Amino acid sequence: VELLDFLAKIHERRLNDFDAAFDAYCRALRVDPSNQEVIAHIDRLAESSGRWADLAAVYAAETDRILDTRLQTEMLLRLARIYEEETHDLDKAIATYRRVADAEPDRKDGLEALDRLYTRTERWSELADIVRGEIRLADNDGQIIELTFRLAQILEVALGDMPKAVEAYQDILNIDPKQAETRATLERLLSSGA
């Protein structure tokens, strides 16, 4: 890694050959995928050269080679961020964040990213499943109520699943019977025969 780092710096600083520097850092990443300094250099060079698709390909190849779950998850998060924010390939971003959620189901940042992407792409059924996972990981009753209300809204408005929406609204009132908006919505649904 040190030799490749040295080579990359020569390409970048002395020869102004940013592509060769990028390639050298990519080779260094293959040797040590946990090296944060190498990752920072690769990200910086991808930013300045616009080689995000190349970086995504490198990260994708590395994720399949990494055996350590924590390290693989971190690489997947980097890759998913590139797909989402840089190459704007939302399907690949979703698939990659799904891999994160499958590997570490209790990882909030993976679920929050899927929440954001499923909302943006209007994949309501998948979003409902993710919100259920977020409810399971919520830290307090306030978060549970907020997320359950959101789930109820998805079920009612986007999916038209009134029985499950009613159940979600009832779950909120079981936690806090003073929720006026929830009570009014539940009464409306029940009076309409849901």
Side-chain angles (χ1 to χ4, degrees), residues 149-166 168-169 185-186 188-189 192 194:
F149 188 81
R150 190 159 166 249
L151 174 62
Q153 293 283 292
I154 293 165
L155 292 167
E156 177 190 354
V157 177
L159 295 174
D161 189 339
M162 297 310 161
K164 286 187 180 175
V166 165
Y169 288 126
T185 303
L186 184 58
R188 176 182 52 79
L189 285 176
S192 69

Side-chain angles (χ1 to χ4, degrees), residues 108-126:
K108 286 185 179 182
D109 53 352
L111 291 178
E112 290 167 355
L114 284 169
D115 182 319
R116 181 177 60 250
L117 289 169
Y118 285 145
T119 299
R120 189 183 317 168
T121 58
E122 299 180 355
R123 296 181 188 181
W124 305 120
S125 181
E126 293 92 340

Side-chain angles (χ1 to χ4, degrees), residues 79-81 83-84 89-102 110 113-123 126 130:
L79 176 60
R81 185 199 66 75
Y83 286 142
E84 180 181 1
D89 189 335
L90 299 185
D91 289 333
K92 283 186 178 179
I94 288 170
T96 306
Y97 281 124
R98 278 277 6 139
R99 286 181 65 188
V100 170
D102 291 343
L114 284 169
D115 182 319
R116 181 177 60 250
L117 289 169
Y118 285 145
T119 299
R120 189 183 317 168
T121 58
E122 299 180 355
R123 296 181 188 181
E126 293 92 340
I130 293 301

Side-chain angles (χ1 to χ4, degrees), residues 5-190:
D5 180 56
F6 179 72
L7 180 63
K9 286 177 181 169
I10 289 174
H11 282 298
E12 182 178 2
R13 294 179 184 160
R14 292 195 181 153
L15 303 175
N16 286 330
D17 188 348
F18 300 112
D19 287 335
F22 180 86
D23 293 338
Y25 282 124
C26 288
R27 288 194 308 276
L29 182 71
R30 286 185 203 103
V31 173
D32 182 4
S34 66
N35 189 315
Q36 294 301 309
E37 188 175 319
V38 168
I39 291 168
H41 285 302
I42 293 172
D43 285 346
R44 178 181 52 76
L45 287 168
E47 173 79 39
S48 65
S49 66
R51 290 186 65 180
W52 291 112
D54 294 334
L55 182 56
V58 168
Y59 283 172
E62 285 307 305
T63 59
D64 294 333
R65 293 182 51 231
I66 298 172
L67 300 177
D68 178 82
T69 303
R70 183 195 58 76
L71 189 58
Q72 184 182 52
T73 300
E74 292 303 319
M75 187 68 71
L76 286 168
L77 287 168
R78 278 191 215 72
L79 176 60
R81 185 199 66 75
I82 291 168
Y83 286 142
E84 180 181 1
E85 298 174 10
E86 305 301 340
T87 65
H88 307 287
D89 189 335
L90 299 185
D91 289 333
K92 283 186 178 179
I94 288 170
T96 306
Y97 281 124
R98 278 277 6 139
R99 286 181 65 188
V100 170
D102 291 343
E104 293 188 31
D106 293 341
R107 184 149 187 153
K108 286 185 179 182
D109 53 352
L111 291 178
E112 290 167 355
L114 284 169
D115 182 319
R116 181 177 60 250
L117 289 169
Y118 285 145
T119 299
R120 189 183 317 168
T121 58
E122 299 180 355
R123 296 181 188 181
W124 305 120
S125 181
E126 293 92 340
L127 177 59
D129 290 338
I130 293 301
V131 173
R132 286 183 186 101
E134 290 176 300
I135 292 167
R136 184 177 51 79
L137 297 177
D139 296 324
N140 56 55
D141 285 349
Q143 288 178 355
I144 292 170
I145 289 169
E146 180 182 329
L147 288 164
T148 304
F149 188 81
R150 190 159 166 249
L151 174 62
Q153 293 283 292
I154 293 165
L155 292 167
E156 177 190 354
V157 177
L159 295 174
D161 189 339
M162 297 310 161
K164 286 187 180 175
V166 165
E167 186 179 310
Y169 288 126
Q170 288 172 332
D171 288 345
I172 294 169
L173 293 176
N174 289 337
I175 296 169
D176 182 3
K178 297 176 186 168
Q179 292 287 321
E181 183 181 2
T182 301
R183 182 171 301 288
T185 303
L186 184 58
E187 288 171 0
R188 176 182 52 79
L189 285 176
L190 292 174

